[in-house]
Amino acid sequence: MNAHTPTAPSAAQSVWLVAEREIGSRLRSKTFIVSTVILFLIALAAVVWGGFSASQSNAITVAVTSDTSSAVTGVDGLEVTDADSTDAALALVEDGTVSAALIPSDQVPDAAAPASGPFDYTIVANDEVPSGLMPLLSQSPAVHLLDPSSTDFLLRYFVALGFGIVFLLAASTFGGTIAQSVVEEKQTRVVELLISAIPVRSLLAGKVLGNTILAMAQIVVLAAIAVIGLSVTGQDLVLTGLGGPVVWFAVFFLFGFILLASLFAAAGAMVSRQEDIGSTTAPITTLVMLPYFLVIFFNDNSLVLTIMSYVPFSAPVGMPLRLYLGEAMWWEPLVALVILIATCIAAIVLGARIYSGSLLRMGARVKLSEALSRR
């Protein structure tokens, strides 16, 4: 045998060659670079804006009665509303006119007995004590919550929005890119040259690997932006609560993206024209969009979030959010991750079968049954 005869690349080498090609083509794309920079700038602006908004000490609205008005006399940072009675003060709290009310301790609603202690008044609020109210008072009186809640609603909403948007943008952007790349290679017949040197499954694995690396790089940079932004703007408390959930989000996103990327590649292989991509990727796009809308509309629904955290397509959003809210037990993310990995493996096998059975078929859209039946 001639010593100079080139040897075929191994499976691992083939996968990495394709991955390098995917990464290189994306990094040479001005559209990709510009959109990525814009995404990072928007994320930085959002974090900084949120931090400075939170740092602005707006006056806390408080209702008092004639019996408790002396407790806020001379206290700065409060917007005091005088109520005619305890019932009137409570009504102001319930309808959101004020954030809290100071009422006599022996008139606390639904209290079994008057609150004991050095105070003759109690703070009453809807779901939580307004941030900054307690330090403004010389001492800490008893607290009675009408509707207890562990997390500030606005903060809860923005954390849910953040997880949902990042997952939606990264998965849909890179997933769509994979599908378009596959169709483009079919249209230009480049795929015929590629598979003459590289096995079909290695081609698929390389595409998934390359785009996964790029997607995870974006997630890491976004996480760094969040950490730096929260630190600079003095939101250490928020940062401490988000640390663990963000790490879990990255882990769940990794396997969730591989799952979706495999399906996007398979969907792209089923058509031969860019115009037809939507017909095969629509169901997958719906799966990507669903977690975003669910956390926006049901971020305060424990049942919906629990179901989301175990469904593979929504677990990357649902489980980290539940961890942030403190609603998940320590073992739940591990169980959800096992389910996600098992589903990911099944999706890779299914996607590879469809990809292999459709890649060289030109013309009309390949039916799913035909793609699965081809060897």
Side-chain angles (χ1 to χ4, degrees):
M1 180 180 294
N2 191 327
H4 298 286
T5 301
T7 58
S10 65
Q13 290 174 328
S14 298
V15 171
W16 182 243
L17 286 172
V18 177
E20 283 185 321
R21 178 174 177 270
E22 290 290 316
I23 295 172
S25 63
R26 294 294 285 163
L27 294 180
R28 288 190 297 270
S29 170
K30 292 183 179 180
T31 302
F32 173 75
I33 298 298
V34 171
S35 62
T36 299
V37 171
I38 292 175
L39 173 62
F40 291 159
L41 291 176
I42 291 175
L44 180 60
V47 173
V48 172
W49 175 81
F52 285 124
S53 297
S55 64
Q56 295 177 353
S57 55
N58 297 323
I60 300 173
T61 54
V62 177
V64 297
T65 67
S66 57
D67 296 323
T68 61
S69 59
S70 60
V72 297
T73 301
V75 178
D76 295 327
L78 297 180
E79 183 179 330
V80 180
T81 299
D82 293 313
D84 296 332
S85 64
T86 295
D87 289 339
L90 293 175
L92 292 174
V93 175
E94 291 175 343
D95 64 18
T97 302
V98 297
S99 302
L102 272 60
I103 64 174
S105 294
D106 58 359
Q107 298 180 27
V108 176
D110 302 324
S116 59
F119 301 95
D120 56 1
Y121 65 90
T122 295
I123 296 177
V124 176
N126 271 320
D127 54 6
E128 66 176 354
V129 179
S131 175
L133 176 58
M134 302 289 279
L136 291 176
L137 301 175
S138 58
Q139 301 180 53
S140 297
V143 175
H144 177 83
L145 299 180
L146 299 178
D147 184 19
S149 175
S150 59
T151 308
D152 176 76
F153 173 78
L154 190 60
L155 182 58
R156 178 191 189 114
Y157 178 81
F158 279 113
V159 170
L161 183 65
F163 283 139
I165 287 180
V166 171
F167 179 78
L168 173 63
L169 290 180
S172 59
T173 299
F174 286 100
T177 298
I178 293 174
Q180 291 174 0
S181 173
V182 172
V183 176
E184 182 180 350
E185 289 172 354
K186 289 186 66 173
Q187 281 185 316
T188 58
R189 303 283 183 173
V190 171
V191 67
E192 298 176 7
L193 297 175
L194 290 174
I195 63 175
S196 65
I198 296 174
V200 174
R201 293 179 184 273
S202 295
L203 180 59
L204 171 62
K207 285 184 173 296
V208 172
L209 176 61
N211 284 276
T212 299
I213 291 174
L214 289 172
M216 290 303 300
Q218 280 197 354
I219 296 299
V220 170
V221 174
L222 288 172
I225 289 174
V227 170
I228 295 172
L230 291 173
S231 299
V232 170
T233 55
Q235 301 181 79
D236 295 332
L237 184 60
V238 177
L239 180 60
T240 301
L242 273 176
V246 168
V247 173
W248 275 109
F249 174 76
V251 174
F252 274 86
F253 178 86
L254 171 62
F255 293 101
F257 181 81
I258 293 175
L259 185 159
L260 292 169
S262 302
L263 297 181
F264 269 112
M270 295 174 67
V271 295
S272 301
R273 301 187 307 166
Q274 295 285 350
E275 298 83 357
D276 298 330
I277 292 179
S279 63
T280 56
T281 59
I284 309 171
T285 302
T286 301
L287 292 176
V288 173
M289 296 178 64
L290 193 59
Y292 169 75
F293 289 109
L294 286 176
V295 294
I296 294 303
F297 296 109
F298 298 100
N299 64 81
D300 58 348
N301 189 310
S302 297
L303 177 60
V304 173
L305 289 182
T306 300
I307 295 173
M308 283 182 60
S309 64
Y310 286 100
V311 175
F313 297 101
S314 58
V317 176
M319 185 57 76
L321 180 57
R322 288 187 64 220
L323 289 168
Y324 170 73
L325 298 174
E327 297 179 359
M329 300 294 289
W330 67 267
W331 51 266
E332 290 191 71
L334 299 177
V335 174
L337 185 60
V338 170
I339 296 174
L340 176 58
I341 293 175
T343 308
C344 181
I345 294 173
I348 292 173
V349 173
L350 176 64
R353 182 69 176 271
I354 297 173
Y355 187 81
S356 300
S358 307
L359 194 58
L360 294 179
R361 299 194 62 181
M362 302 296 178
R365 170 185 170 182
V366 181
K367 295 181 179 179
L368 181 61
S369 57
E370 295 177 351
L372 292 173
S373 63
R374 289 179 64 87
R375 297 290 181 181

